[in-house]
């Protein structure tokens, strides 16, 4: 135990991202639930107070122009773009992940064109993606097939319109092969839609590099935007002039203040906008993204893998044999930024861990999830968390 604790100290001393931790509001708790809700960046409360007191309280309606409220969805989209490997002008921020999945999936079927009447969806997906996919299939007259990502290449055909996949499995932390799966989808002329909720801000995505068509993601996990912060929609530039959103709101109109009865879509990613943006949470997110200044996503990925490797090593050393089983892949190419441990009475175990100051979360029936946010989690945190698991078990 002392050897691992000593090594944790040395790893923290050599950590190039260690200084970023000071940009967050943290306490003595080991916080390993950033894959559900990221920690609060320390400067956000002051920025939100300015939005409320000055921009809203003093400037009022003038803030749509003078404070940049109107252009916030695309401006903040351009802040997120480098973190997911996208050039500017392809991401718009707004609405929830669920709403953006709906826009993307129905839009994907419309892009695929006539003669394609099947949607494939990740069978292990976060439930809301499955719900939305089922509704989108009914609305577009498509059949829906739920498959594991490994089964997708063999199921693709000329009937396939769109494929909705998760980059990282929310329950196990498994990282799926976005480049090869996207290429397989394109190989039959279908449209690839990716859910990035558990990868954006934790590892390189490469949307442009790998030719992803459409992507969605939330901002309250590894992007630390706050509870309920708005999600985002990515539309590849070459598809933007054909992207036909099923939610054509006034904010995506070519002349939003023309108040015309006929809809004419705006150019570019703006077609992904719908209604009036949620300015308070939108600008809190914009402030939160400042913590990424000077931070490389490659450095984040390297630390993420080191943290999860070290956690698995500490668990193997501290926890009695047979008490837990990791269901997260060992191979780096197949691992996101979380570790999922299966054990008996997992709900009670997590409750007791939280009482000991180690915060993760639980997924029924038997999974403990630990999310590792490299911007503020250190190696001493990892060693302490593993000791906590051992003590509780």
């Amino acid at each position: 135990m002392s050897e691992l604790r000593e090594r944790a100290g040395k790893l923290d001393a050599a950590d190039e991202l260690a200084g970023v931790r000071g940009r967050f509001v943290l306490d003595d708790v080991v916080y390993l639930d950033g894959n559900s809700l990221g920690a609060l960046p320390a400067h956000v409360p002051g920025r939100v107070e300015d939005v409320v007191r000055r921009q809203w309280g003093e400037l009022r309606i003038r803030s749509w122009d003078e404070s940049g409220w109107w252009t916030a969805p695309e401006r903040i989209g351009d802040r997120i773009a480098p973190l997911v490997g996208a050039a500017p002008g392809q991401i718009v921020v707004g609405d929830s992940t669920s709403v953006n999945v709906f826009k993307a999936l129905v839009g994907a079927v419309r892009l695929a064109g006539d003669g394609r009447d099947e949607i494939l969806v990740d069978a292990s997906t976060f439930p809301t993606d499955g719900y939305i996919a089922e509704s989108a299939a009914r609305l577009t007259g498509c059949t829906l097939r739920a498959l594991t990502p490994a089964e997708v290449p063999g199921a693709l055909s000329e009937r396939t319109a769109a494929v909705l996949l998760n980059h990282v499995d929310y329950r196990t932390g498994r990282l799926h092969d976005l480049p090869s799966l996207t290429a397989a989808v394109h190989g039959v002329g279908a449209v690839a839609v990716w859910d990035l909720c558990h990868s954006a801000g934790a590892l390189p995505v490469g949307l442009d590099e790998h030719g992803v068509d459409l992507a969605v993601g939330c901002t309250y996990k590894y992007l630390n935007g706050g509870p309920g912060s708005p999600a985002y929609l990515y539309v590849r530039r070459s598809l933007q002039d054909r992207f036909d959103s099923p939610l054509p709101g006034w904010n995506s109109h070519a002349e939003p203040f023309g108040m015309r009865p006929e809809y004419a879509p705006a150019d570019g990613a703006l077609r992904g906008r719908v209604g009036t943006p949620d300015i308070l949470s939108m600008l809190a997110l914009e402030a939160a993204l400042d913590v990424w200044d000077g931070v490389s996503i490659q450095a984040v990925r390297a630390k993420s893998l080191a943290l999860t490797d070290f956690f698995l090593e500490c668990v193997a050393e501290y926890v009695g044999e047979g008490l837990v089983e990791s269901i997260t892949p060992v191979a780096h190419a197949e691992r996101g930024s979380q570790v999922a441990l299966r054990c008996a009475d997992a709900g009670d175990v997590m409750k007791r861990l939280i009482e000991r100051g180690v915060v993760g979360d639980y997924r029924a029936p038997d999974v403990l999830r630990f999310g590792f946010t490299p911007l503020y989690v250190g190696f001493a945190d990892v060693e302490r968390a593993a000791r906590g698991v051992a003590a509780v078990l």
Side-chain angles (χ1 to χ4, degrees):
M1 183 177 294
S2 59
E3 186 273 330
L4 287 172
R5 197 177 303 179
E6 181 180 345
R7 185 142 61 92
K10 291 179 179 178
L11 288 167
D12 280 331
D15 176 19
E16 65 176 288
L17 295 177
V20 182
R21 182 183 178 101
R23 302 178 188 179
F24 292 87
V25 176
L26 298 165
D27 50 26
D28 191 46
V29 166
V30 175
Y31 189 65
L32 301 181
D33 208 8
N35 54 331
S36 287
L37 177 65
L40 171 67
H43 67 288
V44 167
R47 294 275 286 277
V48 171
E49 182 178 16
D50 177 71
V51 172
V52 172
R53 293 188 180 278
R54 183 182 64 84
Q55 296 181 27
W56 180 15
E58 297 176 17
L59 296 179
R60 293 178 288 272
I61 197 69
R62 292 162 52 194
S63 275
W64 285 105
D65 291 322
E66 295 179 29
S67 301
W69 288 2
W70 183 260
T71 57
E74 56 267 31
R75 181 178 73 244
I76 302 171
D78 285 348
R79 294 282 301 278
I80 293 171
L83 301 178
V84 292
Q90 299 176 99
I91 294 179
V92 64
V93 174
D95 306 309
S96 67
T97 305
S98 300
V99 172
N100 283 318
V101 169
F102 178 76
K103 293 181 215 171
L105 199 50
V106 175
V109 173
R110 293 175 175 178
L111 284 168
D114 297 336
R116 293 180 177 269
D117 61 357
E118 187 174 73
I119 296 172
L120 306 185
V121 65
D122 185 344
S124 58
T125 186
F126 189 74
T128 195
D129 284 19
Y131 306 154
I132 296 293
E134 195 278 331
S135 179
R138 284 190 287 115
L139 288 169
T140 57
C142 289
T143 58
L144 181 69
R145 294 177 64 192
L147 304 159
T148 67
E151 293 171 327
V152 165
L156 294 165
S157 73
E158 67 282 352
R159 290 185 53 195
T160 309
V163 181
L164 172 61
L165 295 166
N166 283 259
H167 196 195
V168 174
D169 186 284
Y170 81 99
R171 191 166 177 272
T172 67
R174 176 179 290 275
L175 172 64
H176 297 300
D177 190 341
L178 180 147
S180 68
L181 286 168
T182 300
V185 172
H186 289 167
V188 297
V191 179
V193 183
W194 285 90
D195 183 328
L196 309 178
C197 285
H198 287 269
S199 57
L203 52 91
V205 177
L207 292 179
D208 287 354
E209 177 185 358
H210 303 303
V212 169
D213 301 306
L214 302 165
V216 302
C218 66
T219 61
Y220 46 77
K221 293 180 172 51
Y222 297 109
L223 298 182
N224 310 296
S229 57
Y232 57 90
L233 171 68
Y234 164 90
V235 182
R236 182 156 55 90
R237 193 179 309 279
S238 62
L239 299 177
Q240 289 175 0
D241 63 344
R242 295 192 293 122
F243 179 68
D244 182 7
S245 173
L247 296 174
W250 76 285
N251 259 234
S252 63
H253 198 286
E255 297 180 69
F257 294 97
M259 302 304 165
R260 303 180 186 281
E262 304 83 12
Y263 180 73
D267 292 330
L270 292 179
R271 293 184 176 203
R273 291 179 65 154
V274 183
T276 305
D278 186 341
I279 290 299
L280 297 184
S281 61
M282 182 89 66
L283 298 188
L285 166 63
E286 183 174 33
L289 291 170
D290 288 349
V291 301
W292 289 93
D293 290 348
V295 174
S296 155
I297 194 66
Q298 287 73 25
V300 167
R301 177 58 170 167
K303 183 178 175 183
S304 164
L305 291 171
L307 288 169
T308 48
D309 279 345
F310 190 56
F311 182 67
L312 289 168
E313 181 182 353
C314 291
V315 168
E317 178 69 23
Y318 294 165
V319 180
E321 187 174 351
L323 293 178
V324 296
E325 173 198 4
S326 175
I327 58 173
T328 300
V330 172
H332 286 181
E334 299 175 5
R335 187 195 311 163
S337 199
Q338 76 175 51
V339 172
L341 302 178
R342 178 178 286 134
C343 71
D345 303 317
D348 182 60
V349 169
M350 183 54 68
K351 185 182 300 183
R352 291 161 62 195
L353 274 171
I354 291 171
E355 290 170 354
R356 296 178 66 92
V358 176
V359 178
D361 68 11
Y362 152 72
R363 287 292 180 266
D366 58 359
V367 173
L368 305 172
R369 292 196 322 166
F370 301 95
F372 296 83
T373 305
L375 297 185
Y376 54 77
V377 173
F379 292 89
D381 296 323
V382 167
E383 190 273 340
R384 179 180 158 193
R387 275 191 288 118
V389 172
V392 168
L393 293 176

